[in-house]
Structures are given as structure tokens and as C-alpha cells.
Amino acid sequence: MKLVTGVIQPHRLDDVKSALEAAGVRGMTVSEASGYGRQKGHTEVYRGAEYTVDLVPKVRIEILVADEDASSIVDVVVGAAQTGKIGDGKVWTVPVDDVARVRTGEHGDAAL
Amino acid sequence: MKLVTGVIQPHRLDDVKSALEAAGVRGMTVSEASGYGRQKGHTEVYRGAEYTVDLVPKVRIEILVADEDASSIVDVVVGAAQTGKIGDGKVWTVPVDDVARVRTGEHGDAAL
Amino acid sequence: MKLVTGVIQPHRLDDVKSALEAAGVRGMTVSEASGYGRQKGHTEVYRGAEYTVDLVPKVRIEILVADEDASSIVDVVVGAAQTGKIGDGKVWTVPVDDVARVRTGEHGDAAL
Amino acid sequence: MEFELDSGNTAWMIAASSLVLLMTPGLAFFYGGMVRGKSVLNMMMMSFSAMGVAGLIWVLYGYSLAFGSDVAMIIGNPADYFGLAITDAESLMASVGVPATVAAAFQATFAIITVALISGAIADRVKFGTWIAFAAIWVTLVYSPMAHMVWGGGLLGGDGITAGLSTPIDFAGGTVVHINAGAAGLALALLVGKRKGFGTEPMRPHNLPFVMLGAGLLWFGWFGFNAGSEFAADGTAGRAWLNTLVATGVAMLAWLATEKVRDGSATSLGAASGVVAGLVAITPAAAAVDTYGSIAIGAVAGVLCALAVGLKYKYGYDDSLDVVGVHLVGGLVGTVLIGLFATDNAESFGVWYPDGALNGLFYGGGLTQLVTQVIVAVVAVAFSFIVTYLIGLALKMTLGWRISEEDEVAGIDLAVHGESGYETIQSGSVIREVRA
Amino acid sequence: MEFELDSGNTAWMIAASSLVLLMTPGLAFFYGGMVRGKSVLNMMMMSFSAMGVAGLIWVLYGYSLAFGSDVAMIIGNPADYFGLAITDAESLMASVGVPATVAAAFQATFAIITVALISGAIADRVKFGTWIAFAAIWVTLVYSPMAHMVWGGGLLGGDGITAGLSTPIDFAGGTVVHINAGAAGLALALLVGKRKGFGTEPMRPHNLPFVMLGAGLLWFGWFGFNAGSEFAADGTAGRAWLNTLVATGVAMLAWLATEKVRDGSATSLGAASGVVAGLVAITPAAAAVDTYGSIAIGAVAGVLCALAVGLKYKYGYDDSLDVVGVHLVGGLVGTVLIGLFATDNAESFGVWYPDGALNGLFYGGGLTQLVTQVIVAVVAVAFSFIVTYLIGLALKMTLGWRISEEDEVAGIDLAVHGESGYETIQSGSVIREVRA
Amino acid sequence: MEFELDSGNTAWMIAASSLVLLMTPGLAFFYGGMVRGKSVLNMMMMSFSAMGVAGLIWVLYGYSLAFGSDVAMIIGNPADYFGLAITDAESLMASVGVPATVAAAFQATFAIITVALISGAIADRVKFGTWIAFAAIWVTLVYSPMAHMVWGGGLLGGDGITAGLSTPIDFAGGTVVHINAGAAGLALALLVGKRKGFGTEPMRPHNLPFVMLGAGLLWFGWFGFNAGSEFAADGTAGRAWLNTLVATGVAMLAWLATEKVRDGSATSLGAASGVVAGLVAITPAAAAVDTYGSIAIGAVAGVLCALAVGLKYKYGYDDSLDVVGVHLVGGLVGTVLIGLFATDNAESFGVWYPDGALNGLFYGGGLTQLVTQVIVAVVAVAFSFIVTYLIGLALKMTLGWRISEEDEVAGIDLAVHGESGYETIQSGSVIREVRA
Ligand SMILES: Nc1ncnc2c1ncn2[C@@H]1O[C@H](COP(=O)(O)OP(=O)(O)O)[C@@H](O)[C@H]1O
Ligand SMILES: Nc1ncnc2c1ncn2[C@@H]1O[C@H](COP(=O)(O)OP(=O)(O)O)[C@@H](O)[C@H]1O
Ligand SMILES: Nc1ncnc2c1ncn2[C@@H]1O[C@H](COP(=O)(O)OP(=O)(O)O)[C@@H](O)[C@H]1O
């Protein structure tokens, strides 16, 4: 199994979710994150002091998939999250030894 | 070494933590997450507009363990987090190349 | 490619970020986390009830790097995050099968 | 007329002015909690800036436009009291011993809140400079004339268009404030256009306790608004106070009941909205109806406004925070229902209405007052909508209304004010430059 | 008696009514900040809904139950002033020139806040419908009789059970409001049962600044409550005001000192709690003690309430937000200490108490007043506890009190109101259906 | 003199006292929102604790120090009114029929807010016990003498150091409150030293809506502060009210304009700051200038304070929340500009100033009043700075001011109060021990 992790623009989440559903993904885990990268941050001024804020809001999604689905799922995420602007994010794949479903204790692909 | 990650129901966290302590786990990292899966979300209505909220609050725990402990730790988490209801979550294991303890710079199992 | 994940003290983030920049890292993802470990939590008292709060605020940083850079980046993080006090955190490395840049669809080291 | 100070009436009117003033920061929270977290500051700034702009115009010439000597039954002479040079004998409230400065103060707070109310219709998407310009023009060309027409001896007062029927009743500003703001909100919502994602993306309130806070502060301040509109500390003020309590509470319960039946759960947003709907509806009727009238008005307003807030989805205009559904509809409910419930039974209920007005249909006065109220309401809607639309159009063609779509997506707080409402991870930024 | 309006007294009483009204939204924040984030809305809704329910009942027959012509020294005649048809000559405050509408308004705010106070005892776990029903019944069967017994010429007034001793002193509602709400809270806490996880899981306040906001608004509003209970703008009102400042500040410092000694740190929750404890304790004594008396009452209340809030863990009842520890204990402290500190030295201190009352033990009046105060307190506790318990039991057997355990764990806001207090990740939801 | 109660004036003064009292919780939010999330509680506690400490001292001997019989034109006799034993005939406001208790109440609120204002200069880093001690000593040795010197017949009043020139004008406390707090804040900021990371690490406001809430509550309460300083409900109070509206609104717009030009965007923090700057500046001038004067004062204050808040970075003192930039600079602006704009045109504008004062330069009075105002301002700054510095030094050498650097980094809320402002993940904690 694989864990596909995507760090994307927050306003693309709904589209990514729909695309994944369409691709047959039945579950995922989402969390908030901040990104640092090519995308320039911005400047905020509070009472005469200028701050450079270089962390920008992102959303992280994690999807456990069977080995054979990994690369297509990556493509789905990339496709749905893409706006073509700097800061669109990354998607990466990590090998997973095992997955368990808490409710049933099932292991392996059955647990997805 | 392995990284065991669990996405569980928030109200099971205390029990999971206790069970892990009992199993000799000395450290873990916890963060907030939202889950999407079989567990149905709910509906909220704000001034006549109905929203389907399909992300449900979850907690993510990450535990670095020695190779040999991985599967028993997964079992501990599964056991303590289980309520038997849909939405109990997943626990997965990922191979880790190396771990360092920041305080001392130690590497490997000694860093756990 | 590798994914280097660090869980560090929040007030070290700026230094770690600077050190990584100096080491040529061009991107990372940051998120909030809570840690449990040797570092003792603290006690809070609300209206006569004493709570032991054993989760302490941490920051998680994730850095995708080329294989050859992984160990030096771990060292950079460890070096910059270190205060020598209990609770400084962990840094670990996980193998990555593939990385994609969402904006362009590039894969592999080019996507970093 | 010799001016004789009544320290008691004056004490109440100073307190009342302060209460009404607090309504605008209260509104900032009511509205600010209702938008997404990325626009909270802009929303609040629209209210706060109204305090500066409308306040300044009011003391310079706005008051005089409203209460100066009549010109064509539409406007007052701006030169009369320019800069608020008014003797106490000329005080709007001279007959009850309230000095000119206090009378002007009380009226200023009305102009301010009315402008601020409009902002809810165009949340999250307009240029701050355009808003400031709009506020200034609107107080001048819409609010001041409307106040003159209703309260300054103009077309919508006792000697105006309904002179042959009866004197219209607007105790505390149902037409001047709520119908006016509601119609203006509708005009701007149509003109400015929808937020990106309206009707498809979730745009839930980011902080409901803030909405409740706003509702609480509005309710509190509204006692100054309604009971203060008596201009005196007496039994009629007490009646206005009581009605402001009861109609509001009943409207809240009615809104909650409507939600419970329709949606399955009674929400806190519904409670806060019901509170405001009730306050709006009882405003024109505040001292002109008895306990039963205020219960009826509250109940009708609660139900109708709860239904009306969904209209924008049906008709596709983005009145973001329901200025139409709450203020226009609520203002109409109150203004029209006066025609059914008005009564001057001062003896037992402290109720009061102006000379020339009549009891409502249910209180033995026949249909006349109802007709009068409808006429006034229709004229007020038309005047406010048309003039506001023209002002908005002029601004659209000059300064422009909308921020860029990109800025809207990223959040107007950051784009327009260079700030964000709440602290995020405390890092990732350094001081670049320091100015003095 | 001919009614002669005093605009000054009336001005103050209208302002005071508004201040007291604000206390209920203030309480919504005091309580709302103290619960977990997943129950903040329900907690606030319990206060807001009390404004609707208790307000409506009050204007219909509650006021008349409390202040109508006496029936058996327990209740007033509900028909007397049904719907608040009262002439000014019949005003409760006629002797000081305050019209009937204003008197009724002031009293309404007391009924409202008392009901709302109770809700803290049963936070996070009760059905909203049951709460609404309870509020309506409780105002009718407990609050109104208690107000009648204490202020309306009933059993707990000058001609009541202590007639052979002395007139009880309850300046602003120590028995009617605080002992009453506290005893009722205890009854419900016992009846409704504990929250899941009580005493084992952490249930820390989710937003302490909200608690501070609530405390600040309560303190502000309480000046209306206490100084308004003089029904006039005079030196005695000023004394009540001063005592409301000093006793409160001292109670806050005393609570903080108790925490510092016992727990090692003085908390903001302790400061907010001390503020409320002081306000509660000074309420009955507000104008009946001098500077020193108010300092003493504040100090005792601060320490005792700080100690009392732990009792629920010891005895295992889940009085979630310490209605017992703060309102019952604080109300008893104030009511009883009057027996030590009461004084009518109006000359230098503006102090005042009713005819037939006596100075306290420390002011040369012997033990009589102390005995009177204790008797009244005990009767009030018993009456409130018993009747509330019976009401609660009836509701338990009919509508039922508790939401399901599952809903409690997931959060009552979502389960009961279909909302959550704060925005989370802005996605994962679509508009399904739109209603109008 | 026989005391004759004026219920109207008294009604207003009780209401005004309540309004001013609310300013301190308001300040708690204004300041509390501006610090980082890990220090919000401590910041709020500094304000709340001031309410307890300064309130207690005031009723014991502070009032008497300020308004007791004169000693050396510097201080009043503390024994005169110890414990607030004052007859109404001795009331500070006896001539307008306001009883002694009410006069003492109003003055108490001024002492409280002034102490609380100082805390902004030393945010996030001082021991709570030292702060409490400082508050007690400062009210005694700085606030009370200053109040005496300006309002109690001392050196800075009509018969004081400017007796040969003219009577200084400080209508509502520009010197006693704002210059005083501002100079004291500067002294402490220098003495206590910088926060770790000052000038290099970002320290942005953690909750800007809270800052807006604070600004809104301050504005509201300030109407009591300024219009209450007339001690009566009359046209002059109305003028003070109007100026408090207009100068404030204009200062807000001026601050926003300054930011827009300098930084590119007009911020909500700027709006809130401009509000406070305007309020501060108009305070001494509240009833002594007409509409145009108040506009001018607001505009100058808005621009100058917006520029002044950057000075701390330039000169390297950590006046964390700009007590100097806003209160000292704003207080000076108002105090000095009176010399240009003072006018006693009561007829048309309700304006008023004390006997012996003169019109300002622009109103035909020549330069005398300007010189008087400057002298008073300079003496006030010097007195406050020096005595505060000495008090601070004594505390530094005894109790010590700073918490440990580690505690500062972890957050003062946790370190000092054992709490954190907001709920985090609801787990990881168990109840260990329960106390009663
Ligand atoms: N090396 C990296 N490791 C982890 N996350 C990264 C890395 N580089 C970029 N990211 C994440 O991807 C986001 C987008 O990256 P950025 O460089 O701004 O734009 P792009 O990917 O379009 O070139 C960042 O905000 C960050 O969250
Ligand atoms: N494929 C997946 N990848 C990552 N996380 C998942 C996946 N499927 C489920 N999850 C996580 O597990 C949680 C529970 O899954 P769900 O399907 O609702 O119930 P169950 O695991 O009991 O069948 C989800 O809320 C989500 O956080
Ligand atoms: N086994 C583990 N798995 C995952 N995270 C861990 C583990 N042990 C420690 N951590 C993380 O590292 C942080 C610091 O660990 P701790 O034991 O307190 O100190 P130290 O690493 O200095 O010995 C913890 O707060 C937690 O976030």
C-alpha cells in the first residue's frame, strides 16, 4: 500500500475531493498546514512595524491507496488541484507496510 | 524503525494514550485532523442554506517505534481506539530510515 | 527522494527556517502539533479542579529532499532546533517513492 | 420660545445617545461573526468607518439637511445649522427641555447605524475606498432627505402625501432607518454582484459567538434607539422599552420555531437573527402598540424574516448578510402592521402616537391608517432604492466596486487591509522595516 | 394617589433596566466561554432563550403574579395587571415618580436573568425543548411567587414570617435572584445527572477571554441591578453603586489570594469568578452596608465561594458552572452577613434599609437582624429547591432532560442546534438545498 | 450650603459612572487582543486587577487624597473622607445636586482606568504580584496627587502655577489621566526593559476583533467619561458628547489615511488605534471647543499618534502597546491644542470652560492660554515620569519586575496564571486532585 500526501491550495480542496470521489477513493484525512516555498508571502504592517509573513495557508490531504492505484491517484490530485500559479503545492507518495481499520481490526488492502 | 500513524476519534485519545503508556511507549506526537470516509458527515443549516459537512473531526497520532515493536503498537492503538462504530479510523505503518533526537543529536533506536 | 519530518519547539521555527534556507532548501510545509514525551507537561487549575496537561505545543516541519541531501538536512534541523533541554523533539526520515509539483505536473527531483 | 432645561429628560437622552452609538460596534460583531474568517476585519471596518464618515457629515451639514428649514418638503436647508451652530431654543427637543447639542447627538447616531447596516449586503468583496465614498454620498443624498421627509416636516410626515388620510406613524425609524437601509442594500447587492462561489461554496459564519455578541449589544443599544425616540424619560419611553423587549423575544422564538419546523433544528444564528428581526419590526411601532400588538408584530416578523432570508438563493442576488431579508422585510412588517395594531391607550399602557394618526384596524380605527402606512412604505422603498442605485452606478463607473477575484479568494482582509484577524503559527515573519 | 412624574428618577430607571437586560447576554458569554468549544452555542442559547420566554411570561402574567394584589402572602393575582395594563398611579414606583411601564420593565429584566443563571448547573447535556418548557414553568411557579413573597408583601417581607423579629433586608435580590437560582441549580444538577466524563475527563473553559467579557458585562449591568433597585437617582443609589464596585473588587482579590495560596497561581477564571461572587454577595446588602461592610462582604464571599466550587467534586453532583458554589453560597453570604453589617447611617454614607429592619450585630443592633436574615434564607432555599425539584421531575418523566450520550460526546451544538461555534477547514461541504 | 438633590443630574452621573467603569474591561480587550495569544490572560488580568486595587484604595483614602482639604497645593487630607464618610453637602458635585456617593463613584472609575492604561507599556513580561503592588502605590503617590493638583485646588488648577496667566483647561482628564498614564508608561517601559525578541521577532496582535471590541467599548464608555465630566445633564454635556463623537471619528479616518499613504493599506488596528487616539486627545478639550475645534484636534491626533507609535523602534524602548504613542502624545495634543481652539461660545455650541480660562489663539484669545496649557503639560509629564520611575525602581530592587526569560518564551499566561486562553486538543490531561 501507499500513502499519497498532497499539500494544496485551500480553495482547491473541494475540487480535489470531488475528483477523488469520482476516481473511487472512499476515504482521506485532511489537515491544516502552512507552506513555505517559491510562492512569495506578503507583508503586514501593525502600528508602524512591517512583518514579512512567508508562510501561506495550505491544506494537507492524506490518502491511503493500494499500490497499483498510487500513481493514478497522484495524477487525480495534481489535476484537480492545479491552477498553474506558483504555490499550487506538492503531492508525494510513501510506501506503507500495513494499514489497519480500527473499527474491525482488518489489515491490508481490506482496511482501506 | 517505523512510524505508526493513527487517525482516530478525538474522544478516544485519552484511552489510546494510556494504553500506549502501558505498552511502554514513551513519546508521541498528536495533531488535529479532519476525516472523510464511510462515516457520514452531517447537515448544517445557516439562514435557509443547507450545507453538507462531510469532514468529521479526528485526531492524528504519530509514534516512532523500533521495527520489532511496530505491529504490537498498531494493535495497541487499534484496541484502545475501537468503539466498533463507523469512523473509528485507520492506523498505518511506514518504514523510517532514521530518527534523530534533537536535544542530543543521537540517532537510531536510541533516539526514540 | 526522502521526506524529512521534524517535530520541534515552536520558538525554534524561525531559526530552523533560516538554517534551512542557508542550506539551500527552497520549500517546506509547517503545521501545528502537540507532543507527548519525556518533557513534563504542566498543571492547570480551573475552579478547584487540577488538570495535568501532558501535551505540549510543538511545530511539525516536513521537507522533501533528494536522497543525497537527507542526512545533511536532518543535521541542519537538529542543529538549528537544539536548545539542549528536554522536549527539543525528533527528526526522522522516510523514503519517498515519488514527488509531483502540482503547478507543472513535474515528477521526481525536478518537482522539489 | 424660552428654553427650559429638563435635567431628567436630558439625562436619559444622553444615555440613549450613548446606547445607540454602541449599536454600530455591535453591528460590526453581528456582521463580522457572520462572514468567513478571512473577511472579518473588512466587515468590521465597514461599520467603524461609517462612524467616522457619517458622524463628520452629520455635524457639518447632515443634521441641517434633515432638520433645517424645509425646502420643497424634501430636504432641509444645510446652511441653517452648519457645523451644529444651534441655540437651545431651536433644539429639536426644546419642548421637552433637551438642549440642542443632545438632540443633535442622538440624531447623529441614527445616521451612522443606518449607513453601517447597508454594508451587510455587499460583504467580502468591495473596495474600501469606494465604500467610504458611498457612505459619504449616501448620508447626504439618501439618509438626510429621508429623515427630513419623515421627521423634519417633509413628504412622509403629517402634512405630506398622506395628509388627506392620516399622519403616518414611525416612532423610531422603521422607514428612515430600516426600510431605507434594506432597500439600499438590495440596490447595491444587485449592482455589485455576487461573491465568487455564492450559492455553491459553503460560506458559513466563522464565529457564531461573535454574532451572538453583536445581537446582544444591538438589543441593548436598541433600548436607547426606541425608548430614546420618545425624547423624554416618561411612561411612553417605558412602553417603547417594554415593546422592544417583548417583540424581540417573541421574534426570536418565532424564528427558532420556524427553523425547527422547516430545518429540524433551532440554531443560534436563528436566535440572533430573530432578535434583530424583532428589533427592526418593532422600531416604527415602538410606543404605538400595546403588549398584544408588540407580541403580534414580533411573531410575524420572526416567521416572515426567517422565510425571507432564503429568497436571495431563489432569485440569485447576493445580499450576503440579509439586509433585505431582515431590515427591508422587518421594516415593512413593522410599518404595515401599525395599521392593524396602533392604539393610543395611554392610560393603561403608556402608548402614544402623533396627532393626526389613527388607531389600527384591530383597535377600532378602520383601514385608513393601514393605507397611510402602506403608502409611506412604498414611497420610502422607491426613493431609497432608486437614489441608491444611481449613486452605486456612478461609483461603479468611476472608482469601481469590486476587488479582484483573486483577492476575494485569498481573503479581503489581507488584500485590502494588509492584516488577518487572528494570529496563526507565530513564525515565518521578520520585521523588515520600521517607520516613524 | 396622584402620579407625578420625576423625569430624573425615570431616566435612571430606564437606563438601569437597559443595563440589567445586558446582563443576560453577558451571562451567555460568562457561561459560554466556560464550557467546551463543542457546547458554546447551546450554553448561549439557554440564556438567550430565557430572554424570550421569561420576558413574554412576565408581560403577560408574571408581573401580576409578583406584584398583583396579595393571595395568601404567597402569590399575586395574575388578573390584576394581565398584559401589563397598569396605570401610572398603580406603578410599583409611583412614590418616586417612575411610571408603571418603566417599573414593569425593570422587574422583567430580573425575572430573565434569574432563569438564565440556572442554566449553568446543567450545561452541555439537556434537550433544548425541555429547557424552554422549564424556563416557562419556573418563572411561573418559582420566580414570581418568590418575588411576591419578598417584595410584593408576602411571607418573606416585613409582615411575613419574621414580623415578630424585624423586616428582612434584601435590597436588590439576594434571595429572589441568587439564592433562588442557586437552589434551583442544585435541584436540577442532582436530577439531571452528571455529564459523561465528569470528574475524570478534562473540561476546561474553551475561551477564557469570553469568560472575562462576560464578567465585565455582568459587572457593568449589575450597577443597574443594584443601584437601580433604589428606584431613584439619589445618594442611596450612589451607595449601592459604590458597594457594587468595592465588594466586587475585593471579592476578586480575595478569590485570587485563595487560589494563590491553595493552587500556586492566581487565575483569570478566578478573577472572573471572584467578580461574580462579589456581585452576588453584595446584591442583598447593596445599600444597607457602608464602605467597611461592603469590603467585609466581598472578602468573605471571595474566599468562601472559591472554596465552595470544589464541593461538587467531593459530593459528586455536576453543577457544571458552579451555580451553587457562586450563586447559592454567595447569595447566602450576603444575605446572612447583612445581619452583622447592616446600618442606616444615611448622613455620611448614603446607606438605607427598610422600616422595621435593624442594624447588624457589629453596628449595635444585636442579633435580631441576623436571625431574621437566616430564617429568610433558609425558607427561600427550601421553597426554591423543593418546587424546582418537582418541576424538574415532572419534566424528566415527560419530555426527558438528557440528550443521548453519543450526542453529548460529539457535542451538543451539533446535535441539538445543527451548528458549530467556529469555522473549521472551509471545505468539504456543499449547498444541498435552498429554502424560501 | 443646603444640599438639594437634582434627580436628573444624578441620573446621568450614575449612568456615566457605569459607562466609565466599563472602559476598563473594554481596555482589557483592546490590550488583550493586541498581545500574542500566549499572554492574553495576563494582559486582561492587569486591567481587571486594577479595578480591585485602585477601587479599594480609592474608597479608603484615595478620594480623600484627591479631594480632601488642601495640603501644600499638592495633596488632599486623607483623613477628611476616609472610608468615604461624606455628607451630601460636602459632595464634590453638590452645586449641581449630585450626592456625595455618586460623585465619589464617578471619580473612582477614573482612578481605575488610569492605572490600567499603564499596563500596556509593560505587556507580556512582568510579575503579577509586582504589578499589584505597583498599582496600589501608584494610585496613592501619583494619581491622587495629580488629581488633587488639577481638580482639587492644587498647583495645576486656577490658583496654581499659572495663576498669573490663566486657568488651565482640562475638562475630563487630559493631564490627570492620559498624560499621567503615558508618562508613567514611558518610565516603566524604560525601567522594565524589552521583551525577548522585541524588534526582531513578529509580535502581531493575536485577535484583532478583540481589539475592535475593546475600541468599541472604550468609545461607548468614554461618553460617560467626557460628557460625565460636566457633572450635569445639560447642553455642555451634550457638546462634550458631540466632540467625543466627532474628534474620535476624524482621528480614526486620519490614522487610516496616514497608514494608507505610508504603508499602502488602512488597517483595522489603525482604525481602533485612531479611535483611542481621538478619544484621548479630545478628553481635556471635550466641552471647550466647538465642532471645528474638535475636528482639528481629531485630525492632528490621528496623524501624530500614527507617526508616534513607530518611535519605540527608533529609540529602542519597548512600550509594547503604545501607551506613550497614544496616551502621552494624544494627551499632549489635546492639552496643547486647547490653546488654539478654546472658546466659550455657549450660545450656539454649548461650549464651556472654567472661569479664568481664555479663548485660544484661533478664537481671539491670544497666546496666553496656549502658554498655560504647555506649562501644565510639562509639569504633569515631569511629575508623573519622575515619581513613577522612583516607584518602579524601588519595586525593581525589592520584588523585581521580570519573569524569567524561559517563562516569557513559553508564555506568561501559563507561567504566571497557570492557564491558557483557549482550549487546545481536548485530551492529554486528567484530573489529579480535587480541592474543597
Ligand atoms: N521541499 C518541500 N518539502 C515540503 N513541502 C514543500 C517543499 N517545497 C514546497 N513545498 C510545499 O509546497 C507549497 C508550494 O510550493 P511553492 O514552491 O510555493 O510553489 P510550487 O510548488 O508551485 O513551485 C509550499 O507552500 C509548501 O507547502
Ligand atoms: N483511504 C484513506 N486514506 C486516509 N485516511 C482515511 C482513508 N479512509 C479513511 N480514512 C480516515 O479514517 C477515518 C474513518 O474512516 P471511515 O471510512 O469513516 O470509517 P471506518 O474506517 O470505520 O470504515 C476517516 O474519517 C479518515 O480520517
Ligand atoms: N516515539 C515518538 N514518536 C513520535 N514523536 C515523539 C516520540 N517521542 C517523542 N516525540 C516527540 O518529540 C517531542 C520531544 O520528546 P521528549 O521525549 O519530550 O524530549 P526529548 O526528545 O528531548 O527526549 C515530543 O513532545 C513529541 O512531540
Side-chain angles (χ1 to χ4, degrees), chain E residues 103-152:
Chain E
F106 187 68
Q107 294 297 336
T109 61
F110 277 59
I112 289 169
I113 181 81
T114 309
V115 178
L117 285 173
I118 302 170
S119 64
I122 50 172
D124 302 0
R125 59 194 185 280
V126 307
K127 293 182 185 168
F128 189 56
T130 307
W131 167 252
I132 300 268
F134 172 78
I137 301 169
W138 195 84
V139 174
T140 307
L141 298 186
V142 182
Y143 183 83
S144 298
M146 187 76 96
H148 182 78
M149 285 191 275
V150 176
W151 292 325

Side-chain angles (χ1 to χ4, degrees), chain D residues 41-42 67 99 202 204 210 227 236 238 268 287 291 305 309 326 364 369 373 380 394 417 422:
Chain D
L41 298 179
N42 177 256
F67 298 105
R204 57 150 290 176
F210 278 178
T236 300
S268 70
T291 303
C305 293
V309 294
V326 174
Q369 192 63 31
Q373 298 295 121
H417 302 290
Y422 309 97

Side-chain angles (χ1 to χ4, degrees), chain D residues 272-286:
Chain D
S273 307
V275 162
V276 176
L279 289 165
V280 167
I282 200 62
T283 293

Side-chain angles (χ1 to χ4, degrees), chain A residues 7-9 33-40 54-58 84-92, chain C residues 2-4 25-30 61-65 99-104 106 111-112:
Chain A
V7 173
I8 61 169
Q9 299 276 23
S34 301
Y36 171 83
R38 277 188 193 73
Q39 186 189 3
K40 274 174 45 175
D54 49 16
L55 292 180
V56 283
K58 300 284 165 195
K85 301 226 183 71
I86 286 181
D88 271 357
K90 311 281 176 202
V91 181
W92 66 86
Chain C
K2 302 286 181 187
L3 172 66
V4 175
V25 169
R26 284 169 306 187
M28 76 189 82
T29 299
V30 180
I61 47 177
E62 290 166 297
I63 315 148
L64 295 160
V65 294
V99 177
R101 184 192 306 280
V102 173
R103 173 164 48 94
T104 55
E106 288 163 283
L112 292 182

Side-chain angles (χ1 to χ4, degrees), chain D residues 71-264:
Chain D
V71 178
M73 295 196 88
I74 285 185
I75 196 87
N77 184 340
D80 281 4
Y81 307 126
F82 194 90
L84 290 188
I86 321 176
T87 65
D88 286 341
E90 298 165 305
S91 167
L92 187 62
M93 308 179 187
S95 69
V96 285
V98 176
T101 48
V102 176
F106 187 69
Q107 293 296 339
T109 61
F110 278 59
I112 289 170
I113 182 80
T114 310
V115 178
L117 285 172
I118 303 170
S119 64
I122 50 173
D124 303 0
R125 58 194 185 282
V126 308
K127 294 181 185 170
F128 189 56
T130 308
W131 167 252
I132 300 269
F134 172 79
I137 300 169
W138 195 83
V139 175
T140 307
L141 298 187
V142 182
Y143 183 83
S144 298
M146 187 76 96
H148 182 79
M149 286 192 277
V150 176
W151 292 325
L155 283 179
L156 300 178
D159 302 324
I161 51 175
T162 66
L165 292 161
S166 65
T167 298
I169 300 175
D170 182 0
F171 190 77
T175 39
V176 180
V177 176
H178 298 291
I179 290 182
N180 199 358
L186 181 57
L188 288 197
L190 291 172
L191 203 72
V192 167
K194 304 179 214 176
R195 282 169 293 178
K196 182 172 158 48
F198 172 73
T200 56
E201 284 171 29
M203 296 181 173
R204 57 150 290 176
H206 88 286
N207 194 321
L208 282 166
F210 278 178
V211 177
M212 302 292 266
L213 176 62
L217 293 178
L218 282 168
W219 200 343
F220 174 60
W222 222 294
F223 288 110
F225 197 95
N226 284 358
S229 289
E230 168 65 358
F231 301 171
D234 60 16
T236 300
R239 168 50 54 188
W241 200 105
L242 277 172
N243 287 348
T244 304
L245 176 67
V246 178
T248 305
V250 170
M252 170 176 65
L253 297 176
W255 189 303
L256 291 176
T258 307
E259 284 189 334
K260 182 78 190 168
V261 169
R262 186 186 59 184
D263 311 322

Side-chain angles (χ1 to χ4, degrees), chain F residues 127-183:
Chain F
K127 294 181 184 170
F128 189 55
T130 308
W131 167 252
I132 300 269
F134 172 79
I137 300 169
W138 195 84
V139 175
T140 307
L141 298 187
V142 182
Y143 183 82
S144 298
M146 187 77 96
H148 182 78
M149 285 192 278
V150 174
W151 292 325
L155 283 178
L156 301 178
D159 302 324
I161 51 176
T162 65
L165 292 162
S166 66
T167 297
I169 300 176
D170 182 0
F171 190 77
T175 40
V176 179
V177 176
H178 299 291
I179 290 182
N180 199 357

